[in-house]
Amino acid sequence: MSEFKFKKKYGQNFLQNKNIVKKIALTATVSPNSLIIEVGPGSGNLTVPMAELYKDSNILAYEVDNSLEYILFDKIKDYNNVHVLFNDFLKADIVSDVRKYSYSNLYFISNVPYYITTPILFKLIDSDLVFEKIVMMVQKEVGDRFCSGVSKKEYSALTVILNYYFNVKKEFIVDRNQFYPRPNVDSVVVSFTNRKDKEKLIDKDFFLKLVHDSFQYKRKTLRNNLKKYDLDKVSLVLKKYGYDLNVRAEALSYKVFVDISNALS
């Protein structure tokens, strides 16, 4: 791809190591007759191995950079199970797009553009589509936040939300020297397996807002961060878990937030 001009605004760093690419594709263990969503296929480095490994499944890839069309189509011309939409994934109606396919299970496998990692995850969650597994390569620092335990410095609102929806696992590290152009950070492949035993949420949107508000000022207590909420009800839930309103959000598991959300909804 020496003739291709990499665009910093799209976060274009292409993984060159074919063994690592195949390892990413295999991490999902895709079942037959599935649909795989990929964001940012770029030059098809991950798309092609997936098309070969999962010949009985379809791949729906979203690429925002139209200048990659001639490179990408040349790579996938022999695979009739790959379908590319030159579209901004964050603006796409993925529910409508997915409805055009018949499939047994839905997967998301992608070396996502790092600058939109979190918006992509929230789009997948907000879609209400049921993903059997999501596999993403992300910046190592971001992966640490995804997989953080309670009371760790990386623990955040995003960690809480992801833990409600998924079993999150750090799969393996990818050194920065495996990319071209070379980024300034190492990467990590993270998997998100759909939690089939999710606790019932009365109001999903309220839960998301509550969690974000709880972490608004990380060094402040819930008494301060949630002062616009009914603190008497919040206190009753916290007491059940052995806490009071002077606790910080980073000390609470996602289950506590689910209970608080349902008590307030």
Side-chain angles (χ1 to χ4, degrees), residues 7 16 41 118 165 210:
K7 299 179 181 65
Q16 301 295 298
T118 299
Y165 285 98
L210 171 75

Side-chain angles (χ1 to χ4, degrees), residues 6-7 24 56 74 145 170-171 197-198 220 233:
F6 293 88
K7 299 179 181 65
I24 294 170
D56 53 0
D74 183 63
R145 196 155 69 242
K170 194 182 295 185
E171 297 288 351
D197 59 343
K198 284 190 288 290
K220 289 192 175 183
K233 290 183 179 179

Side-chain angles (χ1 to χ4, degrees), residues 1-2 6 13-22 43 45-46 75 111 137 174-182:
M1 295 184 62
S2 57
F6 293 88
N13 301 94
F14 297 152
L15 183 59
Q16 301 295 298
N17 189 311
K18 292 183 179 180
N19 291 328
I20 295 176
V21 170
K22 187 174 181 180
S43 60
N45 287 0
L46 176 60
K75 289 276 190 75
N111 298 335
M137 184 167 62
V174 181
D175 186 270
R176 67 192 74 182
N177 293 310
Q178 302 297 333
F179 295 86
Y180 185 81
R182 179 182 177 276

Side-chain angles (χ1 to χ4, degrees), residues 116-184:
I116 53 170
T117 299
T118 299
I120 286 174
L121 275 169
F122 275 111
K123 187 174 180 74
L124 298 180
I125 289 171
D126 290 342
S127 73
D128 287 326
L129 293 168
V130 178
F131 288 86
E132 191 69 18
K133 199 165 189 176
I134 296 169
V135 176
M136 280 185 174
M137 184 167 62
V138 302
Q139 285 184 357
K140 186 179 180 299
E141 179 184 331
V142 175
D144 290 342
R145 196 155 69 242
F146 290 166
C147 302
S148 176
V150 175
S151 296
K152 298 288 180 64
K153 68 175 184 176
E154 296 87 2
Y155 194 69
S156 66
L158 182 57
T159 316
V160 171
I161 294 164
L162 292 177
N163 280 326
Y164 170 72
Y165 285 98
F166 308 105
N167 292 313
V168 186
K169 181 183 177 185
K170 194 182 295 185
E171 297 288 351
F172 57 92
I173 304 291
V174 181
D175 186 270
R176 67 192 74 182
N177 293 310
Q178 302 297 333
F179 295 86
Y180 185 81
R182 179 182 177 276
N184 295 322

